[in-house]
């Protein structure tokens, strides 16, 4: 009997939860805010679904109701991706070890 | 156009890069590299999606335009936002992830052929279940985060909003969501899909309004977790490994942060979610307020105490963020250090409005992160320190949590500030903190209250040093 591909995806999902569990416990508490902003950015990988939706239309009609929702989702996810990664970078750049006044 | 197998492998690669991005955050040295891995993973995922659809027609141009518009807006916000506003920003970003998940689900529901999920009215059962769960969780994330954002921004009152029958109502709505998903899957009716979305928006709103301002760290972490589960739900629908891995990572990350925050307050997760904390305690704190003697001083006294100390521990809290006092504080510490006084910072897990909020603010003020310590690391040092400088924190220093089993915060881990030889407490008035209870520390022999705005007081102390 064939195994449903869903089972494979479910396995990936469950194992990723465990990976996430151990990886996140090892995050130092002082970086919990960057952790939140970076998880924000990476969860916007949902943009791949939005892109497929946006490109779902055929040549003669770029905009149909389904692709419009796709385009909107692209814009929202893009705000998050750029905003999330950049603000994380901005924060991480501020964590310095020795006292050096650069600003 | 690349094959489905090849693109699946690339999605896996970007999933692994996202894991490395989080792994990098285990120390500040590796964190910037981690962020780079995250960006790389995102570029791979987006590029592969373009290649696998192989559609470079007019639609492609529009996709790029929307990415550009959203991206420049996001970049603009990221550069402009002050560090004190980070909780609002994160809440706002969560709402966008939630809404994006909802939009993708709507799009897939209306045009399932584009995603290989069947045809309208005849969507594969598994996909429909995944899609509706993703949409419902996304909608809850969206409206919940909007409320959290409004509360953090101060547009909406931070005090809990409760009404009679709230919990039964929420329970009924949650059950109706499950029933709706079941009916939707058996009938494929699009009306039910819209009702499901509407009800999910409503419950997200209702779940967050009863939660008070001081519980925001838990709420933000919880919504972080939700946004992950929503992404995972959509990932199952789209059969996309990158999304499934990311969703699981983000989901568990948010859950762990919520757990840490709840533990920092010694409250169970359900206790926080059911809300209403702070509202009930107000009456008791007013009645029990007998006049007790308080020693208060000025910047001169504080400067004198600190000048004669050999070690000082600083305890920052949300009040410091509100007063924007972090830079003034750093200047004060610089002066202290010039006088050979040892200074360290003690941070309580729930200080501020989101996990790690104080650390970011101190980092912004150029405080080196190896001078900043967590509760467990530094709590024993208070007994050997000469001065504790409490700026903008309150409940997290209250010794009542250790001594009075009647107190609502009893059992909460607190910083042992009272063990210091002397305590300087910067505060605008004697009013109780968010928990609505009086702080015993105010009335201790060795406590000197400095009634002033945190920033102004810190600047004045620096002048007097």
């Amino acid at each position: 009997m064939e195994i449903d591909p869903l089972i494979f995806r479910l396995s990936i999902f469950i194992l990723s939860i465990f990976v996430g569990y151990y990886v996140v416990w090892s995050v130092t508490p002082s970086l919990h805010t960057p952790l939140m902003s970076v998880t924000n950015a990476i969860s916007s990988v949902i943009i791949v679904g939005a892109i497929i939706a946006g490109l779902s239309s055929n040549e003669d009609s770029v905009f149909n109701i389904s692709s419009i929702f796709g385009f909107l989702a692209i814009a929202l996810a893009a705000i998050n991706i750029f905003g999330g990664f950049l603000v994380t970078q901005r924060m991480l750049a501020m964590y310095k070890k020795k006292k050096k006044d650069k600003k | 156009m690349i094959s489905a197998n090849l693109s699946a492998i690339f999605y896996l690669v970007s999933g692994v890069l996202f894991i490395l991005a989080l792994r990098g955050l285990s120390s500040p040295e590796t964190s910037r590299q981690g962020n780079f891995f995250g960006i790389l993973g995102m570029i791979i995922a987006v590029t592969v999606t373009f290649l696998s659809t192989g559609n470079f027609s007019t639609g492609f141009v529009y996709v790029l335009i929307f990415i550009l518009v959203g991206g420049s807006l996001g970049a603009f916000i990221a550069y402009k936002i002050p560090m004190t506003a980070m909780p609002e920003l994160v809440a706002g970003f969560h709402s966008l992830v939630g809404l994006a998940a909802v939009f993708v689900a709507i799009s897939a529901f209306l045009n399932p052929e584009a995603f290989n999920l069947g045809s309208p009215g005849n969507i594969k059962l598994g996909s429909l279940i995944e899609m509706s769960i993703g949409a419902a969780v996304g909608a809850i994330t969206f409206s919940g985060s909007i409320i959290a954002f409004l509360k953090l921004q101060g547009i909406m009152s931070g005090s809990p909003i409760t009404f009679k029958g709230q919990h039964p109502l929420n329970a009924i709505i949650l059950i109706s969501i499950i029933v709706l998903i079941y009916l939707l899957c058996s009938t494929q009716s699009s009306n039910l899909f819209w009702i499901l979305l509407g009800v999910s928006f409503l419950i997200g709103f209702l779940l967050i309004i009863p939660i008070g301002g001081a519980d925001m760290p838990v709420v933000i972490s919880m919504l972080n977790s939700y946004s992950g589960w929503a992404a995972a739900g959509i990932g199952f629908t789209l059969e996309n490994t990158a999304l499934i891995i990311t969703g699981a990572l983000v989901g568990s990350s948010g859950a762990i942060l919520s757990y840490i925050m709840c533990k920092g307050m010694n409250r169970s997760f359900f206790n926080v979610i059911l809300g209403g904390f702070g509202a009930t305690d107000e009456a008791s704190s007013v009645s029990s307020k007998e006049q007790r003697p308080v020693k208060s001083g000025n910047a001169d006294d504080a400067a004198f105490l600190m000048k004669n100390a050999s070690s000082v521990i600083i305890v920052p809290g949300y009040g410091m963020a509100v007063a924007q006092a972090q830079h003034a504080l750093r200047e004060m510490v610089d002066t202290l250090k010039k006088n050979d006084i040892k200074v360290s910072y003690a941070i309580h897990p729930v200080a501020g409005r989101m996990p790690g909020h104080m650390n970011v603010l101190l980092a912004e003020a150029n405080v080196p992160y190896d001078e900043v310590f967590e509760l467990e690391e530094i709590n024993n040092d208070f007994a050997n320190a000469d001065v504790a400088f409490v700026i903008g924190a309150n409940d997290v220093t209250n010794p009542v949590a250790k001594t009075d089993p009647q107190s609502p915060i009893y059992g909460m881990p607190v910083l042992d500030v009272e063990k210091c030889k002397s305590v300087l407490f910067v505060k605008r008035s004697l009013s109780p903190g968010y928990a609505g209870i009086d702080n015993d520390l105010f009335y201790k022999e060795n406590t000197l209250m400095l009634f002033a705005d945190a920033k102004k007081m810190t600047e004045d102390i620096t002048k007097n040093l």
Side-chain angles (χ1 to χ4, degrees), chain B residues 385-424:
Chain B
D386 297 308
V387 175
F389 186 73
V390 183
I391 173 165
N394 186 358
D395 293 330
V396 298
T397 61
N398 197 340
V400 160
K402 286 175 286 190
T403 52
D404 180 10
Q406 305 297 316
S407 165
I409 61 165
Y410 181 71
M412 170 171 138
V414 288
L415 293 158
D416 296 333
V417 173
E418 77 281 1
K419 290 190 183 150
C420 269
K421 288 199 192 74
S422 40
V423 178
L424 295 168

Side-chain angles (χ1 to χ4, degrees), chain B residues 114-396:
Chain B
F115 297 88
N116 277 330
L117 306 174
S119 56
N122 189 20
I123 301 171
K124 277 190 278 179
L125 179 65
S127 311
L128 192 57
I129 298 175
E130 293 150 8
M131 190 188 295
S132 41
I133 293 175
V137 179
I140 295 172
T141 313
F142 172 70
S143 53
S145 302
I146 293 285
I147 301 298
F149 175 81
L150 294 176
K151 284 196 172 194
L152 286 164
Q153 188 76 288
I155 298 172
M156 204 171 142
S157 153
S159 56
I161 299 167
T162 47
F163 54 87
K164 233 182 154 191
Q166 194 164 26
H167 300 322
L169 178 71
N170 289 351
I172 291 170
I173 295 180
L174 283 174
I175 293 167
S176 76
I177 287 182
I178 296 166
V179 174
L180 277 168
I181 293 180
Y182 175 78
L183 290 176
L184 173 65
C185 293
S186 50
T187 63
Q188 304 249 356
S189 147
S190 60
N191 285 339
L192 285 174
F193 184 74
W194 302 117
I195 296 172
L196 173 68
L197 282 181
V199 172
S200 304
F201 280 126
L202 181 68
I203 187 72
F205 171 78
L206 287 174
L207 278 175
I208 308 301
I209 54 165
I211 304 179
D215 290 335
M216 277 304 149
V218 182
V219 173
I220 295 197
S221 317
M222 187 182 82
L223 292 166
N224 185 254
S225 180
Y226 285 1
S227 70
W229 304 132
I234 301 296
F236 273 101
T237 320
L238 307 180
E239 309 184 346
N240 184 306
T241 333
L243 251 178
I244 295 176
I245 295 178
T246 315
L249 289 179
V250 178
S252 49
S253 158
I256 290 171
L257 289 177
S258 324
Y259 170 79
I260 296 175
M261 292 301 113
C262 286
K263 221 173 129 233
M265 296 191 288
N266 188 42
R267 298 177 58 200
S268 78
F269 186 66
F270 283 102
N271 183 299
V272 175
I273 297 309
L274 294 177
F277 197 58
T280 43
D281 300 304
E282 243 161 67
S284 62
S285 76
V286 172
S287 58
S288 68
K289 203 177 257 174
E290 80 259 48
Q291 289 291 317
R292 285 198 276 173
V294 169
K295 277 199 293 184
S296 81
N298 55 29
D300 207 11
D301 306 325
F304 177 78
L305 267 172
M306 283 206 255
K307 222 186 291 179
N308 291 307
S310 61
S311 70
V312 173
I313 299 179
I314 302 201
V315 182
Y318 184 61
M320 180 190 79
V322 174
Q324 301 268 14
Q326 63 271 33
H327 297 280
L329 180 69
R330 211 277 325 255
E331 274 161 35
M332 184 187 91
V333 170
D334 282 352
T335 321
L336 288 175
K337 280 195 205 150
K338 267 182 214 138
N339 293 319
D340 280 330
I341 299 165
K342 186 176 167 280
V343 185
S344 37
Y345 298 81
I347 302 208
H348 191 275
V350 294
R353 283 291 175 272
M354 73 185 292
H357 192 188
M358 286 303 124
N359 303 77
V360 169
L361 294 180
L362 292 177
E364 187 200 12
N366 277 325
V367 172
Y369 62 83
D370 40 10
E371 287 176 10
V372 182
F373 298 93
E374 304 300 316
L375 178 116
E376 305 90 52
E377 295 172 315
I378 201 169
N379 228 3
N380 293 327
D381 297 353
F382 280 107
N384 305 319
D386 297 308
V387 175
F389 186 73
V390 183
I391 173 165
N394 186 358
D395 293 330
V396 298

